[in-house]
Amino acid sequence: MNKILCATDGSHSAQKAVAHAVDLAKLADAELTFIHVVMPTTDDVSHTHFWNSSMLKAAEEQIQMELHEAVETAHQRGLEPVFCTTVPGHNIAKAIIDYAESNHHDYVVVGSVGRTGLSKVLLGSIAEQVISKAHCPVTVVR
């Protein structure tokens, strides 16, 4: 295990996934990247009647704060360097899987449920999709 990708959305489940991914990366001496899938995308919002640049800016600030908290967790536990990225996507699981594969991550960590609608009710449909379609091992943290 050389490169771990950890999906985060700021949810309680994702925060647990972050802590687990940090511990795993330290144990394996692996590179760790945090990913946040941005949905809806900037392009989506700009084509609606409800487009408001201040709302878009607030959403971006929230995402950056969540990624910063994940990086701080890693640094507090003695893991450096740590990377983070955002990717746009309508299908969160596909965006995570595609990023992991194209960037040669060999392990993925996700929370069991996130902030997205129906996935709060089920064992996250997102987590389930990542498990079933990822090219590498996946840990789901609850």
Side-chain angles (χ1 to χ4, degrees):
M1 180 178 350
N2 297 315
K3 292 180 74 174
I4 299 171
L5 181 65
C6 178
T8 184
D9 64 2
S11 67
H12 183 67
S13 180
Q15 290 171 351
K16 288 182 175 183
V18 164
H20 183 76
V22 169
D23 291 343
L24 190 61
K26 282 187 69 175
L27 187 63
D29 195 27
E31 178 182 297
L32 177 59
T33 300
F34 296 111
I35 185 172
H36 185 105
V37 179
V38 180
M39 184 180 111
T41 66
T42 304
D43 192 48
D44 293 337
V45 175
S46 68
H47 291 99
T48 69
H49 297 291
F50 304 105
W51 185 80
N52 180 325
S53 61
S54 62
M55 288 175 40
L56 201 56
K57 183 179 179 203
E60 177 61 27
E61 287 172 356
Q62 179 67 32
I63 291 166
Q64 292 306 316
M65 183 185 73
E66 291 163 1
L67 289 170
H68 176 75
E69 288 174 1
V71 169
E72 281 300 307
T73 297
H75 289 170
Q76 289 170 357
R77 293 180 181 207
L79 183 64
E80 290 190 43
V82 180
F83 306 95
C84 52
T85 189
T86 59
V87 295
H90 294 105
N91 181 326
I92 295 171
K94 182 176 181 343
I96 293 167
I97 294 163
D98 289 350
Y99 186 88
E101 190 167 353
S102 65
N103 289 277
H104 311 290
H105 287 86
D106 52 7
Y107 205 92
V108 176
V109 178
V110 296
S112 59
V113 291
R115 288 187 174 169
T116 56
L118 190 58
S119 67
K120 287 183 178 180
V121 178
L122 311 170
L123 159 62
S125 58
I126 293 168
E128 184 179 356
Q129 290 174 43
V130 172
I131 290 167
S132 66
K133 297 178 182 171
H135 70 285
C136 62
V138 177
T139 295
V140 178
V141 180
R142 37 181 252 143

